[in-house]
Amino acid sequence: MKTLLFVTSLGISSALGSQIANAESIENIDAAANHMDVKALTNYAQQGNDYSQAYANYRLAISANILGQPKLAVSALEDAKTTLESLTSASSNADNLALLSAVYGMLIAFDNSKAVTYGPKAGQAMEQAKQLDAGNPRVVLVQAITAFNTPTMYGGSMQRAAKLASQAIELYTNPCDNICWGYAEAYTWRGLAKQSLGDLEGAVADWQQALTVESDYAWAQFLLQQNTQQTAKR
């Protein structure tokens, strides 16, 4: 009985240690992404072969794209896709599937000819993610991003993007101690949807709220600065 308790305790300790390490990795990646630190993100993307590595590549792709390095962005996305496909084939997990769906979507954005292949895969990954954990805020956030980026003729909708982002924001208020990225991002995407719908005041309020959640969130800072400059020119 003591042996069983000891082994069980070791298992729990190991799982807890893994969760803490994963949470720290995600926080480090987010910190680098907030400053668009391509060098640091590249280093994180070369460490291990798990969700954190795929997430680092995802953030590296976004930063590289913003900085005008599309080749690096696509390469990072391909690496993230390979890692996530391997992870999901070994064990289905809502976070893995949601991020994989987002990666497929970004690859389509870089090359529309890939929509035929990756479009159905993105949809299938998201459906599986929803079945596994419909209340996961990152699952709902990726749905919001997809609704925002998909043309109206193919089912995209700014209203739906804003609604899903609101649902994600509500879900982010629940306690989280492992994979926790996306809270500030949800406010930012909702702001972008509101901006597209003509609600600039609401958009600015959301971008300001994103900075309340994450004070050094560079994307929200950029959008607010851009809005200030445009307003000054009028």
Side-chain angles (χ1 to χ4, degrees):
M1 186 62 155
K2 289 182 178 179
T3 302
L4 177 59
L5 289 172
F6 178 69
V7 172
T8 302
S9 177
L10 282 177
I12 293 172
S13 297
S14 177
L16 182 59
S18 178
Q19 281 193 351
I20 292 171
N22 206 23
E24 289 178 349
S25 295
I26 297 298
E27 288 180 4
N28 291 336
I29 292 164
D30 280 341
N34 284 342
H35 297 92
M36 289 186 284
D37 188 339
V38 169
K39 182 177 179 180
L41 289 170
T42 299
N43 288 335
Y44 289 134
Q46 294 172 347
Q47 297 174 14
N49 186 32
D50 56 10
Y51 181 91
S52 295
Q53 182 194 39
Y55 181 62
N57 271 308
Y58 172 71
R59 288 300 177 197
L60 173 59
I62 293 173
S63 295
N65 185 45
I66 292 172
L67 295 172
Q69 302 177 49
K71 288 185 178 180
L72 175 59
V74 172
S75 175
L77 288 171
E78 290 290 352
D79 287 344
K81 179 179 74 72
T82 299
T83 299
L84 290 165
E85 286 178 340
S86 176
L87 289 173
T88 54
S89 66
S91 177
S92 293
N93 172 285
D95 273 302
N96 294 345
L97 288 161
L99 187 57
L100 179 58
S101 181
V103 168
Y104 284 139
M106 286 188 67
L107 284 168
I108 292 171
F110 277 103
D111 184 353
N112 289 333
S113 68
K114 293 184 177 180
V116 175
T117 302
Y118 291 151
K121 288 186 175 183
Q124 183 180 15
M126 179 50 64
E127 285 304 313
Q128 290 178 333
K130 287 193 292 184
Q131 289 174 12
L132 288 169
D133 189 0
N136 183 315
R138 287 160 299 283
V139 171
V140 182
L141 173 59
V142 172
Q143 291 179 72
I145 296 170
T146 301
F148 184 96
N149 288 320
T150 302
T152 305
M153 67 180 71
Y154 296 115
S157 166
M158 292 300 158
Q159 290 88 347
R160 177 169 166 73
K163 181 179 179 180
L164 286 165
S166 294
Q167 291 175 10
I169 288 166
E170 185 176 347
L171 290 168
Y172 275 114
T173 62
N174 296 327
C176 178
D177 58 7
N178 189 8
I179 296 172
C180 304
W181 64 267
Y183 195 0
E185 193 171 352
Y187 275 111
T188 306
W189 280 106
R190 189 173 72 174
L192 287 168
K194 287 180 178 179
Q195 181 185 46
S196 296
L197 292 167
D199 181 10
L200 185 56
E201 185 177 344
V204 168
D206 273 345
W207 298 333
Q208 290 172 336
Q209 189 60 41
L211 291 176
T212 299
V213 172
E214 205 165 328
S215 61
D216 62 346
Y217 190 52
W219 190 19
Q221 291 173 343
F222 168 77
L223 290 168
L224 286 168
Q225 182 179 16
Q226 185 182 57
N227 175 71
T228 300
Q229 291 173 346
Q230 290 174 349
T231 301
K233 290 178 181 179
R234 292 172 187 170

